Amino acid sequence: MDAFGPFPPDCPDYTVGLAISGGADSLALAWLARGWRRHVVAFVVDHGLRESAADEARQTIRTLASFGVSAHLLTLQGLRRDARLQEAARSARYAALIEACVSFGCLDLMVAHHADDQIETVAMRSAAASGPAGLAGMAASRELSGIRLLRPLLCVRRDRLRATLDAHGIRWIEDPSNDNRRFERVRFRQDLSDADGLKLWTQANAFGGLRDERAASQVRVLVTDVLWHPSGFFIFPQKLPPADLLATLWRVISGRAYVPGVDVIQKLLEGPGAVTLHGVLLTRTSPWGWILVREPAAVGKSIRATSDGAWDGRWRLAHAAGTSIEGCTIAAIGTAAAAWARDVPGVVRRSLPALWRDGRLEAIPDICRLRGGNFRRVSFQWSGSHRASEGSFWRHDPFSTGKCGWRL
């Protein structure tokens, strides 16, 4: 775990989350994590895809308790049993895990991906003609929305994890889908030879090293040439960053799960002026320089005003003191922005959230200082890939390597 550190003291104020399925890999992770520090909490997901799933989840919680790990059950509902079942289950599982981590105050979530998982991942990406980024496989550390995902077992083979459980008398649950050749990963798992696996593992390490070097270089650019504004946009005062870093920042603003292709970004940059992609606008405006911002025409539809949902996948209602939100909706300010703040470019103002009631602007966000208009103010918190902080400008490292730049 030293590679991911330093960590705060082992105390109740800093609990590390564990994603536990009940299989051998995740139970081995839990057992090892409990030996590393006392204050860990396991989240056991009942995906409801098998009749025995609920009983298996309860059994897993009992197993975790036997070696001192407290656990909480998360239940998934409404998964469709079709060809994309595993992908849908994975997305729903991560969404539930992230929400649980935020609720419990966990900044880090450990998952049990191991060396064999890495080999299978690289094999599938190689078959799909992935480039160097895909062939690097899974990263040992990755930032998600509000948490850091850690994979401390990527250098450990599956057999060693099972041997660890056997040595300590810990029983695990076998998921029959792990042998179902209907799924692509299972086919690769069963068909790969040891020699092929070693070759793919070596390849992943080589490309992974290049990825780490590139990330360190990008952090240096972020520290010197990129600003993040709490209104939810990036500023490039001097010049545009390299295309691969710009693609990463593009994903932050768009809220999409994946980074756009570097070749696509590079082609966009060859144009003469402003460009749009995935609901994100890159444009130049005085006196800011280049800015990367949500395209006003692409923002999400209105939602009921609560503290639960994220409007446009980017903003949550954080505080509405003195303002009743009953019967209100959250929607873009749009052209109503012209009546108030001048602290940010107009294209930014039009894509910010506000409270509306019966088609009338009820309250504006307090992200920008008010310079006109008799409106109440309400606080919104950035809830996209990276959270905004209070204040005017601040620098942010979306890679959060722990070695370069800041982790905020």
Side-chain angles (χ1 to χ4, degrees), residues 86 90 116-131 134-135 137-138 183-189 192 200 203:
Q86 284 197 330
R90 178 183 179 276
D116 294 271
D117 291 326
Q118 183 76 300
I119 291 170
E120 294 159 12
T121 296
V122 175
M124 290 188 293
R125 293 180 180 179
S126 179
S130 291
L135 297 178
M138 295 178 284
F183 301 114
E184 180 186 27
R185 181 174 290 272
V186 174
R187 296 194 296 273
F188 274 96
R189 179 182 305 149
L192 280 172
L200 291 166
Q203 183 184 60

Side-chain angles (χ1 to χ4, degrees), residues 106-162:
C106 301
L107 297 179
D108 290 315
L109 174 68
M110 297 167 66
V111 295
H113 294 132
H114 48 69
D116 294 271
D117 291 326
Q118 183 76 300
I119 291 170
E120 294 159 12
T121 296
V122 175
M124 290 188 293
R125 293 180 180 179
S126 179
S130 291
L135 297 178
M138 295 178 284
S141 173
R142 180 188 173 196
E143 289 284 344
L144 299 180
S145 180
I147 67 166
R148 185 174 60 151
L149 190 73
L150 305 181
R151 298 184 176 102
L153 302 179
L154 278 183
C155 292
V156 184
R157 297 300 298 262
R158 177 185 289 115
D159 290 346
R160 294 200 61 184
L161 297 175
R162 297 187 174 217

Side-chain angles (χ1 to χ4, degrees), residues 374-395:
N374 185 24
F375 300 112
R376 284 177 288 183
R377 306 181 72 194
V378 63
S379 294
F380 288 90
Q381 182 183 37
W382 176 268
S383 65
S385 300
H386 309 290
R387 298 180 183 276
S389 69
E390 296 180 1
S392 54
F393 291 93
W394 58 292
R395 299 189 182 274

Side-chain angles (χ1 to χ4, degrees), residues 344-383:
V344 295
V347 66
V348 176
R349 297 197 300 269
R350 294 195 298 275
S351 65
L352 288 175
L355 282 182
W356 294 79
R357 188 192 303 275
D358 298 327
R360 178 176 55 85
L361 187 61
E362 180 81 2
I364 63 173
D366 61 2
I367 299 166
C368 301
R369 291 186 296 274
L370 184 65
R371 289 190 178 181
N374 185 24
F375 300 112
R376 284 177 288 183
R377 306 181 72 194
V378 63
S379 294
F380 288 90
Q381 182 183 37
W382 176 268
S383 65

Side-chain angles (χ1 to χ4, degrees), residues 16 57 101 104 132 150 240 332:
V16 175
C101 284
F104 281 81
L150 305 181
L240 290 176

Side-chain angles (χ1 to χ4, degrees), residues 8 29 44 86 124 218 247 259 262 273 296-297 307 316 329 348 355 400:
L29 171 69
V44 180
Q86 284 197 330
M124 290 188 293
Q218 289 178 339
V259 174
V262 175
S307 58
R316 290 184 186 274
T329 58
V348 176
L355 282 182
S400 301

